[in-house]
Amino acid sequence: MIQKPPGVEDIFPDRIDRWNHITDAARQAFRLHNFREIIIPIMEYTEVFARGLGDETDIVSKEMFTFEDRGGRSLTLRPEGTASVVRAFVENGEYNRLSLNKFFYMGPMFRAERPQRGRLRQFNQFGAEVFGSEDPYYDYEVIAMMDSVTKMTGIEDYELLINSIGCPRCREEYLAKLRDYYHDREEQLCKDCRQRLNKNTLRLLDCKVESCREIRSGAPLITDYLDDECREHHEKLKKYLTTNNIAFREDPFLVRGLDYYIRTTFEFVADRLGGQNAFAAGGRYDQLVEHFDGKHTPAVGFAAGIERMFLLIEEKEILPRGIDAFVIHTGGETLARALEITSSLRKAGLAADLDPNGKTFKGQFKRAERDRAHYCIIIGEDELKNDTCTLKDQASGIQITITLKELMEKMQA
Ligand code: HAM
């Protein structure tokens, strides 16, 4: 028997309702916030991620699925979406002429990580990116959008962490202080952190090893080094969140594992997930477009891990979405009428179904129940003769007889 490789998953129909519960909520939030979908390639030239994410990041240095095509060019399965969206944005003249763009995407990402609960090699993200504004309103908007998706899916036990890691100008002084602090404690650091010390100092704050965590607790805080503009940006974001009742906690050590961030970083975390506790994360990346040879375009975005959100709603009862109406008939002419009604309902944008071979009322009512129909529309001989139908509200059991014209009006109301 051939088995799947480690760190990839099959999602069978019994889990699909739960899966769609998450992606439907995301799509709804994207629509409500006026984000438009972009479909980006699954593979890119390796350069896209090396340049975009930073050579020293864990993702680029050890987690990419990279291979050569037949012409000897290096390709990589996308480990995330942001670098690809930026590459596409710069490459496409039409969109980068617009002053503001709000994109969203969904799909599989690939990282050669050690598989464990909530950490896969092929996982799915939905994400959003806003191009063209420095305004902290947009930092707020992407956070608020993810917050609304989280609430829509029914996840309650989570926390939003935010931070500002400043801009390269104010970060320089901070990094020098941080390096001094850690150099003084080099002996006590784990092996990885000793390497990070000179290469990627900020990532020292991200280490999960207990002894490094302890050292971190006394480390200088980036928020004490922000220049006036970065501080003001951060304050405005917090004000937007507070005014709009979005609870958050400031975490001055939230630096994230990607090099492109500037100013805002944030994570949605849930303790229930264990070690891999972030189910969504993002931040601002005002210099990435220029890094890809585009004109200066500030940007901010986030991505959520669908499988991690899936774990958080695993125990919830998610009922499949029902149809609007199931049309019941007694065969012959009543079937022809039932077909007409079903097709009119579908044309009007309502989900409707019938059983063309339905023999008994009982059997058809059973189907309606299974399909979680909101209404049953019954066409018997009397209804056929009088151009009426019997409309039964499945929840209350109340039945009324109405004309077909009234039916369409009621169903569309
Ligand atoms: P990220 O933090 O690398 O950010 O990933 C975002 C989310 O993807 C994580 O919070 C997690 O839920 C999920 N995720 C990441 N790796 C795995 C994995 N191995 N298995 C399962 N789920 C995973 C980004 O990808 C950035 N592109 C976010 C962003 C967009 N920043 C600005 N715009």
Side-chain angles (χ1 to χ4, degrees):
M1 184 181 56
I2 301 178
Q3 295 183 328
K4 58 182 160 46
V8 308
E9 275 187 345
D10 304 306
I11 312 283
F12 279 94
D14 60 329
R15 296 169 75 203
I16 284 292
D17 290 326
R18 217 166 243 119
W19 186 274
N20 290 344
H21 179 66
I22 298 169
T23 53
D24 286 353
R27 280 188 186 277
Q28 191 183 348
F30 291 141
R31 197 179 60 76
L32 296 179
H33 291 80
N34 193 25
F35 278 68
R36 304 209 34 218
E37 186 161 12
I38 176 170
I39 298 180
I40 38 170
I42 298 234
M43 62 182 175
E44 296 271 3
Y45 286 126
T46 302
E47 179 67 12
V48 168
F49 306 113
R51 199 195 291 195
L53 279 50
D55 283 331
E56 301 296 336
T57 57
D58 284 353
I59 298 181
V60 173
S61 64
K62 51 187 188 206
E63 292 172 0
M64 297 208 298
F65 284 102
T66 297
F67 54 96
E68 278 189 2
D69 70 6
R70 285 161 198 262
R73 283 164 301 190
S74 180
L75 293 171
T76 291
L77 296 182
R78 60 183 189 196
E80 58 107 57
T82 311
S84 291
V85 177
V86 170
R87 195 268 312 135
F89 174 74
V90 173
E91 196 174 333
N92 185 301
E94 193 185 328
Y95 287 94
N96 64 35
R97 270 196 293 275
L98 302 175
S99 60
L100 194 89
N101 282 281
K102 304 209 273 187
F103 299 118
F104 81 87
Y105 50 89
M106 269 189 204
M109 307 290 161
F110 304 84
R111 295 185 194 175
E113 297 195 72
R114 201 161 36 81
Q116 53 177 255
R117 185 170 180 267
R119 190 160 76 185
L120 295 156
R121 291 189 168 171
Q122 176 178 332
F123 58 97
N124 287 268
Q125 285 186 343
F126 60 83
E129 316 288 352
V130 179
F131 290 100
S133 178
E134 243 183 60
D135 195 321
Y137 167 77
Y138 288 102
D139 306 48
Y140 155 74
E141 188 174 79
V142 293
I143 292 175
M145 190 161 63
M146 183 58 213
D147 196 64
S148 73
V149 178
T150 310
K151 293 198 166 96
M152 270 192 262
T153 52
I155 299 169
E156 284 161 4
D157 53 340
Y158 69 99
E159 208 178 8
L160 164 64
L161 307 178
I162 65 163
N163 191 23
S164 173
I165 55 167
C167 64
R169 254 174 303 132
C170 47
R171 213 179 302 157
E172 207 172 302
E173 193 193 340
Y174 172 67
L175 285 179
K177 284 274 176 337
L178 194 64
R179 230 173 270 128
D180 287 349
Y181 174 83
Y182 274 101
H183 265 303
D184 291 345
R185 293 156 183 82
E186 193 169 350
E187 301 293 287
Q188 294 140 263
L189 294 175
C190 74
K191 198 168 120 257
D192 284 347
C193 279
R194 258 177 266 152
Q195 272 174 8
R196 286 180 189 130
L197 192 49
N198 296 315
K199 283 201 207 149
N200 196 342
T201 320
L202 216 49
R203 290 300 311 283
L204 286 161
L205 301 175
D206 224 13
C207 185
K208 302 269 188 289
V209 175
E210 198 46 52
S211 51
C212 294
R213 287 256 144 164
E214 266 167 42
I215 297 173
R216 189 185 78 166
S217 59
L221 305 179
I222 178 78
T223 32
D224 292 335
Y225 291 82
L226 297 181
D227 63 21
D228 290 346
E229 281 174 27
C230 289
R231 186 180 309 281
E232 195 190 334
H233 192 274
H234 193 48
E235 290 304 319
K236 280 190 178 159
L237 166 62
K238 288 194 283 181
K239 183 128 195 266
Y240 273 122
L241 293 170
T242 311
T243 319
N244 292 287
N245 298 319
I246 297 186
F248 63 88
R249 180 160 67 82
E250 286 191 75
D251 177 356
F253 296 127
L254 183 68
V255 291
R256 312 267 302 118
L258 298 151
D259 280 358
Y260 49 62
Y261 292 115
I262 278 181
R263 294 185 170 169
T264 308
T265 54
F266 61 88
E267 276 185 1
F268 285 79
V269 296
D271 288 345
R272 248 188 319 138
L273 288 172
Q276 313 294 318
N277 68 347
F279 59 92
R284 179 163 278 284
Y285 52 96
D286 289 348
Q287 293 179 337
L288 194 57
V289 174
E290 273 162 292
H291 214 60
F292 277 82
D293 307 317
K295 63 170 200 255
H296 175 70
T297 310
V300 60
F302 79 93
I306 298 180
E307 286 81 356
R308 292 205 187 154
M309 293 185 74
F310 197 102
L311 288 173
L312 291 173
I313 59 164
E314 208 159 35
E315 271 130 46
K316 279 193 192 311
E317 192 191 15
I318 308 284
L319 296 172
R321 207 149 106 197
I323 57 172
D324 296 299
F326 195 87
V327 189
I328 293 173
H329 58 90
T330 54
E333 287 294 301
T334 64
L335 168 60
R337 174 64 55 83
L339 273 169
E340 268 170 46
I341 294 173
T342 308
S343 136
S344 303
L345 289 170
R346 288 174 178 166
K347 275 195 197 122
L350 295 158
D353 210 353
L354 50 58
D355 178 358
N357 304 311
K359 298 249 174 338
T360 60
F361 270 162
K362 198 171 159 217
Q364 293 180 73
F365 272 117
K366 257 212 167 115
R367 270 271 316 259
E369 224 167 89
R370 195 199 67 191
D371 294 342
R372 302 175 44 74
H374 187 170
Y375 289 108
C376 279
I377 298 168
I378 304 141
I379 310 290
E381 295 302 328
D382 283 351
E383 284 91 348
L384 183 69
K385 219 168 36 210
N386 303 327
D387 283 336
T388 58
C389 70
T390 299
L391 183 69
K392 181 178 175 206
D393 185 318
Q394 288 288 89
S396 64
I398 294 172
Q399 265 182 223
I400 49 170
T401 301
I402 50 176
T403 64
L404 294 182
K405 191 163 164 275
E406 285 166 341
L407 169 73
M408 289 311 288
E409 280 166 10
K410 186 162 172 60
M411 294 296 294
Q412 284 174 286

